[in-house]
Amino acid sequence: MGILSKSDHRARAADQSRAVAMDHPVIRPWSPIVESPGRVMADRALGERLWDADGTEYIDASSLNAACGYGRLEIVAAASDQMARMQGVDLSMHDHDVAARLARRLSAHLPAELSRILFTNSGSEGIEAACFVAASYHAHLGRPRTRVVTFARGYHGSTTLARSLSQLGPTAHWFNDPIRVTPVTIPGTDRDARDPATSPLLLAAFAEAITQDPADAPMAVLVEPLINVGGGVVLPPGFLRGLRKLCDEHGVLLIIDEVFTGIGRTGRMFGFQHEEITPDIVVSSKGLSGGYAPIAAVAIQDYVYQTFVDDPFFGGVRYGHTTSGHPVACAASIAVLDVIEKDGLVDNARRMGTRLLDGLASSIDRSVVRDVRGLGMLVILEMDGDDSAAALAEGARKQRLLVRQQGPIVMVVPPLTADADVIDDIVSRMRSALDGVDG
Ligand SMILES: Cc1ncc(COP(=O)(O)O)c(C=O)c1O
């Protein structure tokens, strides 16, 4: 179909069955308008299980938010108590203790230098805030910088600035790029990326991107500790340590996007902790509130924050949303951290994630599967193409297992609460699903 005019679109809209439009009045984020067979009409959930509107029960290995599983009554109680006590206060007007308590609890899991927390409502906003903080930091030092170095296949969100930080096809947009971005591509195959031998190659590519023009130093390097949407790529050991060193050498801030990997998903509280580095800025979201409320946290090193304190023009951070640090989201997040600490979920993610990876890797010796890799409670099957990945995800759904498909990869991401029985059940359902893909 060629390009249609506005009146063509009007006519087509009138033609479309109104009943269909009324059935699906919600515009689904990041989804084609056409029906896809893999979707379920999610209705209720408990533990690692989710039921659709027809009452069919699934194991949900597709949610990155439900870190503590579904329906934890202590989290529900914390959020509802807070809602009854004081549902919302604009942090730009008044302080509230629940935000301060969450900031302290989160900081306790981070290196001591990352002691200042700025709250936003979503990962994309957190990334925008991190870029704003980084640009302001350099301006405060009297050397304005606006360029950012990122992975070409990183994903950092859907708002205009956040999406322009990525070269992934679906994030393309029609605006002028708000900041200049130097993309770095991964040398070799995604399967080889985790090989220690890739680390020096990657670091050389980042060094080249950082130093490409001595008169135009970047303000920040922004990376995920594991590339998720862009291919489920596990990065090599030593890479983040080397990147930290490079950033230090060139006075560039290191921003780690932990929106996906943070809060235990990779078997450490934060993905960067596998490398024992201290980033300048860390953004987390998703698992932070366990999916009970929208929130993101931008942790900032004290020395960066101090430049805002000393800023003669404003003396503060000119960034925020009316609902930043929403008390109900903060209360839910504190209760999530309680559960994670009390139930040892980070340790569980490491142990059960290994069981899941081993179970899937050892049982899957099929021509359609190119690679099985992972880190913590996050396992990626790289298939031989988008079609077989879609067939696998659909096969899993028929086995009443929900997984994520992104291009040729299928991601298995159960809640961090999954025990050995749930993991073994997932492995067995995936095996059955694979039988259907390659016969
Ligand atoms: C690594 C990463 N960064 C940022 C985002 C954007 O977060 P949000 O969807 O909450 O805006 C996502 C979301 O998937 C993500 O995975």
Side-chain angles (χ1 to χ4, degrees):
M1 190 186 309
I3 291 180
L4 300 179
S5 69
K6 182 173 167 187
S7 55
D8 290 336
H9 283 297
R10 280 232 164 92
R12 281 174 56 76
D15 273 1
Q16 307 272 335
S17 141
R18 186 162 166 73
V20 170
M22 292 309 286
D23 268 348
H24 299 288
V26 176
I27 298 176
R28 300 166 180 139
W30 291 111
S31 303
I33 306 289
V34 291
E35 277 309 320
S36 96
R39 299 183 74 94
V40 300
M41 180 61 86
D43 184 44
R44 65 194 171 86
L46 187 65
E48 295 83 28
R49 319 263 158 179
L50 182 145
W51 286 263
D52 71 12
D54 298 327
T56 306
E57 179 186 313
Y58 299 87
I59 296 180
D60 186 7
S62 70
S63 171
L64 297 166
N65 295 337
C68 306
Y70 292 103
R72 290 294 291 240
L73 293 182
E74 60 270 61
I75 303 172
V76 176
S80 79
D81 286 355
Q82 182 58 49
M83 200 179 274
R85 185 187 180 91
M86 182 182 76
Q87 86 279 14
V89 161
D90 184 344
L91 265 185
S92 69
M93 296 288 298
H94 305 293
D95 293 321
H96 57 75
D97 186 52
V98 65
R101 278 190 288 129
L102 175 59
R104 280 193 288 270
R105 289 290 297 278
L106 200 54
S107 294
H109 288 281
L110 287 161
E113 297 88 337
L114 283 155
S115 57
R116 305 291 175 170
I117 310 284
L118 177 65
F119 289 113
T120 65
N121 304 299
S122 68
S124 305
E125 291 170 0
I127 293 296
E128 301 240 354
C131 289
F132 175 79
V133 166
S136 304
Y137 162 77
H138 290 287
H140 294 158
L141 296 189
R143 52 169 202 212
R145 296 183 182 182
T146 52
R147 188 165 66 90
V148 183
V149 176
T150 65
F151 273 117
R153 282 201 277 138
Y155 175 74
H156 302 291
S158 62
T159 50
T160 308
L161 191 152
R163 72 192 307 145
S164 70
L165 295 165
S166 167
Q167 311 282 304
L168 284 174
T171 66
H173 60 81
W174 293 267
F175 309 106
N176 293 329
D177 281 335
I179 50 178
R180 281 165 313 122
V181 177
T182 307
V184 172
T185 48
I186 299 168
T189 66
D190 291 357
R191 201 177 347 169
D192 295 335
R194 62 186 179 276
D195 189 320
T198 308
S199 188
L201 303 177
L202 257 185
L203 288 170
F206 272 90
E208 158 88 34
I210 289 170
T211 59
Q212 63 179 29
D213 177 357
D216 183 23
M219 67 179 191
V221 168
L222 165 62
V223 293
E224 302 161 78
L226 179 149
I227 294 179
N228 84 80
V229 179
V233 185
V234 178
L235 298 169
F239 166 64
L240 285 183
R241 263 196 306 280
L243 200 55
R244 174 70 275 183
K245 204 159 157 276
L246 261 180
C247 288
D248 287 343
E249 280 163 16
H250 297 281
V252 176
L253 296 185
L254 178 58
I255 306 175
I256 301 288
D257 180 347
E258 295 269 0
V259 170
F260 172 94
T261 47
I263 320 294
R265 175 59 59 191
T266 69
R268 299 295 300 262
M269 193 63 176
F270 292 96
F272 72 81
Q273 289 169 333
H274 289 277
E275 297 267 291
E276 287 164 5
I277 58 157
T278 302
D280 296 296
I281 302 178
V282 175
V283 184
S284 57
S285 185
K286 296 195 191 288
L288 176 58
S289 72
Y292 288 85
I295 191 167
V298 185
I300 301 164
Q301 279 213 37
D302 212 24
Y303 83 95
V304 174
Y305 174 74
Q306 192 58 41
T307 69
F308 287 84
V309 178
D310 298 337
D311 168 14
F313 302 110
F314 189 70
V317 180
R318 275 170 275 189
Y319 185 93
H321 302 277
T322 312
T323 46
S324 291
H326 192 276
V328 175
C330 288
S333 303
I334 292 169
V336 164
L337 292 177
D338 286 342
V339 169
I340 286 180
E341 291 166 15
K342 182 167 63 66
D343 293 359
L345 293 188
V346 180
D347 189 49
N348 192 63
R350 185 164 53 240
R351 287 182 300 107
M352 290 302 123
T354 303
R355 188 180 183 102
L356 180 61
L357 179 63
D358 290 349
L360 290 174
S362 65
S363 65
I364 293 168
D365 175 22
R366 324 275 175 113
S367 56
V368 284
V369 183
R370 283 211 188 116
D371 190 27
V372 184
R373 53 183 179 260
L375 194 63
M377 198 70 101
L378 157 61
V379 176
I380 297 135
L381 282 85
E382 183 184 325
M383 306 295 285
D384 64 356
D386 294 15
D387 288 349
S388 52
L392 178 56
E394 173 58 6
R397 193 184 64 84
K398 289 191 177 134
Q399 297 295 323
R400 293 176 293 104
L401 170 68
L402 303 176
V403 293
R404 300 175 80 86
Q405 184 230 333
Q406 292 156 192
I409 65 161
V410 171
M411 242 183 219
V412 187
V413 276
L416 311 183
T417 47
D419 63 13
D421 288 343
V422 172
I423 296 295
D424 294 348
D425 203 349
I426 292 174
V427 170
S428 126
R429 292 182 199 208
M430 283 297 282
R431 274 187 219 171
S432 305
L434 265 165
D435 286 341
V437 177
D438 64 354

